Amino acid sequence: MKKSLILLAILIGMQVAAWAQSADYPALMTQTLDAMQTAASPTDYQEAANRFERLAALQADAWLPNYWAAYCYTLMSYMAEKETEKDQFADKALAFFDKMKAARIENDETWVLRAYIAQARLSADPMNRWRTDGVMFQECLGKARAINPQNPRIDLLQGQNLLYTPEGFGGGAKNACPHLRQAEQKFGVFVPASAHHPNWGKEYIHEILSACAE
Amino acid sequence: MKIFHLLILLFCLTHTLPAQTKLQGWVRDAQGQGLVGANVYLKNTLDGATTDSTGFFRFVTRQIRQDTLVLSLIGYESRIQKIDLRQAENLQLTLAEEAGVLQTVLITAGYFEASDAKKAVLLKPLDIVRTASANGDLFGALQTLPGVQRVGESEGLFVRGGSATESKTMIDGLVVQNPFFSDLPDVSTRSRFSPFLFKGTAFSTGGYSAQFGQALSSVLNLQSEDLPAQSNLNLFASHLTWAATGTQRWHNTSLALTGSFTHVGLANALVPQNIDWIRPFQGGGGSAIFRHRFGERDMLKAFANYSHTRVGFYVPDFDGQKTAFTLQNHNFYQNATYAWTQGAWQWQTGLSYGYDQDQIQTGEQSIWREATHQQGRTVGIVELSEKHSLLIGGEWQWQDFGDGFGSFSNRMQEVLGAVFWEDEAYLGKGLAARVGLRAEYSGYLQRFNLAHRLSLAYKTSPNSQVSLALGEFFQNPERPYLYENAGLRFEKAYHYILNYQWQHKGYTFRAEGYLKNYRQLVRERMPNRFLPGFDRRIEGPLDNSGRGYATGLDVFWRDNEGTFENVDYWVSYSFVHAERLYQNFPTWATPEFVSQHNLNVVYKHFIRALSLDCNLTYSYASGRPYYAPNATPFLSGRTPDFHNLSLGLNYLTSLWGQNTIVIFSINNVLNYKQVFGYRFSADGQQRAPVHPATFRSFFLGLSMTLL
């Protein structure tokens, strides 16, 4: 009786340990997303990216950790100063995107992310890259739009890109603002599938819309 | 009793839950510096941490079996390492810098690439357009690179003591027979192609790949653009040229059509001319560019270009006489390439066709020249492993040349076949090697050649490397010699190049020493007198006993926003010592196209607040030899040194809501009276300097893009 009880206890104990590990996943996702939201420096983003990378390594079939790791590196690419560093971060972001693509995870959000990476590369050297990364940016947004035209981040990126494009190349506030207003509208009704799903850009759209205030 | 059992159960439970283990330590690089931001975690768990600014990390785990630690950090090789969990409180871990990115050892000897596709290139495609002295001409920009000589009275690339005929220009690997407008006596002409057609430029000043042949000194391979970003209409207007390009982009296809017209009459009227023009340079033409993408990567590209030009002026002969010279040229060039992947192989096949016709009237004489060139080429590249790649390919060229005047004419056909093989491998410990072989057969000469090429590169530090290139290079003798004698052999050059390159942040330093030995150059065996100049007649029997050498040092320094924001400058200096005994030279001498010292300072500053791009170029070349009939020793005279200061301004603005670039440039701002050589009267007593067509000149243009 005693022996079987102890055996049972051991079994339960092992079960608990395993359960604790997998129970960590949603909690850690939430925790890391919170940390990312309050991140202020590239170091904070690196910390978050590293956690997402660990989560991604463990949950091979889950696209969200890969998505967020790529997102962190894209932001870091924007934050870096030198072109070579910007490219290193963008390449790393691309590696996570490629992992998702290899696992056949393709949806509107992943294509928006791919466009965002292209935009990061483009902004590092716009004069030399608008013909390569600029084209990639448009193509990826096109793919995202074909899947889900209601995704507000498509219009956000499109508008943001136009805002920083010279007017004569079809950019400038005049051309950007209709997209940004569309984005604002779509953000108004957008509901992410879960707390872990992409939901960025909502605060930024208000900030960037100030450029459209007459 | 029940409570007692429950206590035991609880006791057991807590004890079977693994105890927490603390892991801590440092992650450092090979030099012992702490690495910040590294991801350290136990494999297949969520237990891990990120290193702080000293490289320190700390985390706890409940794992007892998992003892594999994973380390990763951008720019470093990821690694996994077994550790002992019982002694994991002072882990000393190191990461090695990644072989990718900037750390790779690249074979750089002899190469100058302008591209955005590869890491660590020295130039970007736009750097070419933004060079002030280039006046928007691709070759003008290449002249500011080390190893290239400034020869003001001729077009073409004169590389490291080599003549312009020793340089070959290609588009996607296919030879362009006439990259420049027709050769004129003592007047240089521009290149035919807009630099905007190309996404990359690979310029080699020696020791190049076995892919390329029929060039003793240099190859320039231009990589054409892929699909354009969007449909648009570009209008270009200047006081020289008017052009319009319409581009239509469909999903996987694009078509661009260009029409252009050039007339330099207005420009000639505005700036004092050193040439007595009969008909200022004028011409028109059109081009078509087609692209179609199949699937993700496969791509079909086709390009066709036609132009018709006319020019006429008086050529002084310095005896008080002047000869009218007029030229009319038709030029057609087209190529098509198809790139596809098959398994691990990447293939590219191309076909090209070129036709060029000149009709020249000089004095009473009518001269015609005609040349047709066709080429087929296939290249396959496979990555056998991450560290080993193989390239194989073959090409076939057919040429038909003719020229003549009156009842006299020359004509010949040449068929050239070549196969090549190249193996590139990373041998470890920072050493990379490339070995190549190229076999060629000339149908006209009825001869074979086999060229060996070898390049090595060795990483001396994370930011520097040394490379070495050796090779044999063959080329057919020049056309006039081929007409005379089909029994000639290939001309031959040996290159020995040693290169040092250091790159850090925005800085690049590069120094390259070389020796080039020429063998089997064509010699005219009856040099009773040396005749310089245009359209010289060939004298005496010919053989391949000519020889020569060129030795020198090229230095390049570039600071690309390393020190000043938005400022980019480079300095290139070349020293060359070259002598030859060839053609109709009576003795060993330095050829007329070689200047011992060449210096270029290229400065580019983009003023963001004003949307103004300012470029300055200063060029210096020491005097070149010139021929004086009665002077001894032969070719001992030296022209005055060459100086040129050019200014370019590009202003980005918006006109009628359309993106507009206003281009303004002044060539030879300080109005130096440049002398490229002297031409003598028949008795050798009178001489007159050869000047450029204009000293100080300017360019004003406007480019507008409508969406």
Side-chain angles (χ1 to χ4, degrees):
Chain A
M1 175 68 187
K2 228 177 201 178
K3 267 186 183 171
S4 58
L5 258 181
I6 289 168
L7 195 71
L8 184 74
I10 289 171
L11 278 172
I12 291 171
M14 280 169 69
Q15 206 53 42
V16 166
W19 168 80
Q21 185 72 48
S22 61
D24 278 352
Y25 170 76
L28 258 172
M29 274 297 282
T30 308
Q31 194 191 334
T32 313
L33 279 166
D34 288 347
M36 186 189 76
Q37 240 108 66
T38 54
S41 67
T43 326
D44 296 342
Y45 279 107
Q46 180 73 66
E47 171 87 47
N50 283 351
R51 289 195 196 179
F52 285 128
E53 188 174 348
R54 298 199 285 269
L55 286 157
L58 193 70
Q59 304 270 329
D61 51 342
W63 64 282
L64 290 168
N66 280 305
Y67 176 92
W68 287 112
Y71 177 75
C72 286
Y73 281 112
T74 310
L75 293 183
M76 286 157 81
S77 174
Y78 274 105
M79 281 183 263
E81 282 176 12
K82 294 275 181 209
E83 192 187 321
T84 45
E85 289 170 13
K86 282 174 177 288
D87 283 1
Q88 275 188 328
F89 287 124
D91 287 351
K92 181 83 178 183
L94 203 54
F96 286 104
F97 173 83
D98 289 342
K99 262 173 70 181
M100 286 191 281
K101 204 167 173 228
R104 303 201 175 276
I105 302 162
E106 287 183 48
N107 56 47
D108 55 323
E109 296 293 358
T110 64
W111 285 116
V112 167
L113 181 70
R114 181 65 188 86
Y116 202 23
I117 298 168
Q119 198 187 36
R121 275 187 49 84
L122 176 66
S123 71
D125 185 2
M127 287 200 287
N128 276 303
R129 292 182 174 172
W130 68 271
R131 285 190 278 195
T132 48
D133 294 299
V135 173
M136 180 58 91
F137 174 77
Q138 295 298 350
E139 284 181 1
C140 294
L141 280 192
K143 284 179 184 167
R145 199 174 283 120
I147 301 170
N148 176 17
Q150 293 313 309
N151 188 324
R153 279 167 284 283
I154 300 169
D155 298 279
L156 171 63
L157 289 190
Q158 187 77 66
Q160 176 187 277
N161 194 54
L162 288 170
L163 195 60
Y164 298 111
T165 303
E167 215 168 280
F169 278 122
K174 193 183 76 189
N175 294 306
C177 292
H179 288 280
L180 294 174
R181 293 207 183 90
Q182 280 251 310
E184 191 188 28
Q185 260 179 24
K186 290 177 186 172
F187 270 119
V189 295
F190 180 80
V191 183
S194 83
H196 297 163
H197 277 71
N199 193 23
W200 53 272
K202 211 168 183 170
E203 293 79 28
Y204 182 57
I205 190 75
H206 296 303
E207 212 176 291
I208 198 173
L209 265 172
S210 64
C212 298
E214 288 305 313
Chain B
M1 193 59 191
K2 271 192 174 170
I3 288 170
F4 179 67
H5 273 147
L6 205 67
L7 276 175
I8 287 178
L9 184 68
L10 269 175
F11 176 80
C12 293
L13 238 176
T14 45
H15 269 253
T16 41
L17 273 178
Q20 289 199 344
T21 307
K22 192 156 87 179
L23 284 97
Q24 64 178 38
W26 282 265
V27 178
R28 298 193 173 94
D29 66 9
Q31 281 80 39
Q33 284 287 321
L35 292 170
V36 60
N39 200 2
V40 185
Y41 60 98
L42 283 171
K43 197 177 174 187
N44 297 327
T45 77
L46 295 174
D47 304 335
T50 299
T51 55
D52 66 15
S53 57
T54 63
F56 180 73
F57 68 91
R58 173 165 48 188
F59 64 93
V60 291
T61 183
R62 291 202 167 106
Q63 299 291 324
I64 39 170
R65 280 177 209 85
Q66 183 51 266
D67 57 355
T68 305
L69 206 58
V70 181
L71 288 95
S72 72
L73 176 62
I74 267 193
Y76 292 81
E77 296 274 7
S78 295
R79 60 180 290 194
I80 48 173
Q81 188 169 340
K82 289 265 180 200
I83 52 160
D84 185 348
L85 278 175
R86 285 163 303 181
Q87 294 170 3
E89 297 205 6
N90 185 21
L91 295 163
Q92 302 292 335
L93 306 160
T94 52
L95 282 177
E97 282 185 82
E98 202 169 39
V101 206
L102 281 176
Q103 318 306 333
T104 352
V105 51
L106 290 167
I107 289 163
T108 52
Y111 260 99
F112 261 93
E113 284 208 77
S115 136
D116 193 46
K118 291 183 189 165
K119 306 281 176 185
V121 292
L122 301 182
L123 299 171
K124 290 282 179 81
L126 266 190
D127 292 335
I128 301 272
V129 189
R130 289 177 64 210
T131 302
S133 60
N135 292 322
D137 190 8
L138 183 69
F139 291 82
L142 294 176
Q143 283 191 339
T144 65
L145 297 180
V148 186
Q149 306 264 297
R150 197 160 284 273
V151 180
E153 74 278 19
S154 308
E155 56 283 345
L157 290 169
F158 292 79
V159 177
R160 291 183 170 170
S163 75
T165 57
E166 295 169 24
S167 295
K168 283 282 176 319
T169 301
M170 285 158 239
I171 296 178
D172 297 327
L174 298 162
V175 173
V176 182
Q177 189 180 228
N178 304 88
F180 298 92
F181 288 106
S182 297
D183 189 28
L184 304 174
D186 291 338
V187 177
S188 75
T189 59
R190 286 171 68 92
S191 66
R192 291 179 188 273
F193 303 116
S194 155
F196 293 104
L197 292 175
F198 309 108
K199 66 174 177 187
T201 308
F203 176 49
S204 171
T205 51
Y208 35 88
S209 155
Q211 278 191 66
F212 306 118
Q214 285 292 317
L216 291 182
S217 281
S218 146
V219 291
L220 172 68
N221 191 19
L222 304 167
Q223 289 112 34
S224 62
E225 274 289 353
D226 297 326
L227 284 167
Q230 54 197 326
S231 299
N232 65 38
L233 176 66
N234 179 273
L235 301 173
F236 180 82
S238 74
H239 72 306
L240 301 175
T241 300
W242 290 264
T245 302
T247 304
Q248 182 65 45
R249 165 79 199 255
W250 296 274
H251 185 55
N252 280 321
T253 312
S254 72
L255 179 68
L257 298 171
T258 302
S260 71
F261 177 72
T262 300
H263 195 294
V264 303
L266 176 64
N268 289 2
L270 293 172
V271 177
Q273 300 289 310
N274 299 322
I275 285 174
D276 187 3
W277 297 99
I278 300 168
R279 178 189 288 135
F281 186 89
Q282 49 194 269
S287 65
I289 301 170
F290 175 79
R291 302 278 180 265
H292 183 74
R293 188 173 58 189
F294 300 85
E296 291 262 306
R297 298 170 77 174
D298 300 0
M299 175 86 93
L300 175 71
K301 295 178 176 184
F303 169 67
N305 184 72
Y306 168 77
S307 68
H308 175 226
T309 51
R310 294 194 297 174
V311 64
F313 54 89
Y314 290 104
V315 182
D317 70 357
F318 312 114
D319 282 319
Q321 303 282 315
K322 52 186 188 179
T323 311
F325 174 94
T326 57
L327 180 142
Q328 207 175 144
N329 172 264
H330 292 275
N331 182 278
F332 179 72
Y333 176 76
Q334 70 144 81
N335 73 27
T337 59
Y338 182 59
W340 80 99
T341 46
Q342 195 172 50
W345 285 84
Q346 278 178 277
W347 289 95
Q348 186 178 309
T349 289
L351 282 170
S352 75
Y353 171 83
Y355 175 75
D356 188 77
Q357 187 207 58
D358 281 329
Q359 281 164 307
I360 299 165
Q361 187 75 33
T362 167
E364 297 298 301
Q365 206 163 59
S366 295
I367 303 170
W368 59 271
R369 290 190 294 225
E370 200 177 43
T372 309
H373 179 267
Q374 288 177 47
Q375 186 178 7
R377 179 180 162 94
T378 293
V379 181
I381 300 172
V382 65
E383 294 218 349
L384 298 170
S385 76
E386 221 166 85
K387 292 172 173 174
H388 187 188
S389 71
L390 178 72
L391 177 150
I392 56 166
E395 64 182 358
W396 159 93
Q397 294 183 60
W398 180 82
Q399 297 162 312
D400 177 44
F401 302 126
D403 58 27
F405 55 91
S407 59
F408 178 82
S409 71
N410 290 307
R411 184 130 223 141
M412 62 162 277
Q413 281 86 34
E414 163 71 311
V415 179
L416 276 165
V419 286
F420 44 88
W421 164 89
E422 196 171 73
D423 203 301
E424 191 166 335
Y426 180 71
L427 305 172
K429 300 213 153 102
L431 185 69
R434 189 171 71 196
V435 189
L437 269 182
R438 181 184 178 90
E440 262 178 359
Y441 179 74
S442 158
Y444 185 74
L445 301 178
Q446 294 189 307
R447 283 178 195 279
F448 266 110
N449 72 55
L450 181 66
H452 302 78
R453 315 268 166 97
L454 170 70
S455 302
L456 295 169
Y458 177 66
K459 197 97 199 152
T460 43
S461 81
N463 300 317
S464 67
Q465 63 166 54
V466 171
S467 12
L468 175 83
L470 309 170
E472 288 168 296
F473 302 84
F474 293 92
Q475 184 173 337
N476 279 3
E478 284 180 44
R479 212 181 299 173
Y481 292 129
L482 291 179
Y483 288 142
E484 293 292 317
N485 188 343
L488 290 169
R489 301 163 62 168
F490 293 105
E491 296 189 319
K492 192 173 182 183
Y494 296 91
H495 296 186
Y496 309 89
I497 301 168
L498 186 64
N499 165 295
Y500 172 80
Q501 184 165 309
W502 175 86
Q503 268 186 307
H504 188 58
K505 302 231 160 104
Y507 304 101
T508 303
F509 173 76
R510 187 180 149 112
E512 197 163 286
Y514 62 89
L515 169 67
K516 182 157 63 173
N517 272 328
Y518 290 95
R519 293 287 181 272
Q520 295 175 203
L521 299 181
V522 174
R523 243 187 119 186
E524 298 165 40
R525 292 323 293 250
M526 259 171 36
N528 38 15
R529 65 195 178 116
F530 175 86
L531 277 175
F534 199 66
D535 272 354
R536 179 174 63 83
R537 296 286 300 282
I538 287 162
E539 297 180 54
L542 304 172
D543 65 18
N544 280 89
S545 63
R547 327 172 48 155
Y549 68 89
T551 179
L553 179 71
D554 293 342
V555 182
F556 179 77
W557 165 258
R558 183 172 187 188
D559 175 355
N560 184 8
E561 298 193 20
T563 314
F564 314 101
E565 201 171 333
N566 294 326
V567 168
D568 168 20
Y569 69 88
W570 74 70
V571 179
S572 72
Y573 167 74
S574 312
F575 167 83
V576 60
H577 178 66
E579 286 190 314
R580 291 185 184 199
L581 177 63
Y582 83 137
Q583 296 188 348
N584 57 349
F585 278 28
T587 59
W588 279 87
T590 302
E592 286 173 289
F593 48 79
V594 177
S595 48
Q596 201 155 46
H597 306 278
N598 276 267
L599 175 77
N600 291 284
V601 182
V602 177
Y603 174 90
K604 306 172 190 204
H605 189 164
F606 185 61
I607 307 167
R608 242 166 243 283
L610 300 176
S611 299
L612 187 67
D613 188 33
C614 301
N615 311 307
L616 269 177
T617 304
Y618 169 72
S619 303
Y620 164 84
S622 61
R624 287 188 286 123
Y626 68 89
Y627 171 72
N630 304 320
T632 50
F634 173 64
L635 285 179
S636 59
R638 292 289 180 273
T639 63
D641 290 352
F642 170 91
H643 299 272
N644 190 36
L645 182 71
S646 297
L647 168 74
L649 297 173
N650 301 314
Y651 176 56
L652 312 173
T653 182
S654 170
L655 275 183
W656 303 290
Q658 309 297 336
N659 180 267
T660 306
I661 305 171
V662 182
I663 305 151
F664 177 70
S665 67
I666 308 178
N667 190 31
N668 192 5
V669 177
L670 301 176
N671 211 19
Y672 288 114
K673 303 286 182 283
Q674 298 135 340
V675 174
F676 297 144
Y678 297 94
R679 297 294 173 249
F680 285 78
S681 61
D683 61 4
Q685 298 305 309
Q686 307 292 319
R687 75 168 197 188
V690 177
H691 291 304
T694 57
F695 295 120
R696 179 164 49 214
S697 64
F698 73 95
F699 178 86
L700 180 65
L702 194 134
S703 166
M704 193 186 269
T705 306
L706 294 80
L707 296 176

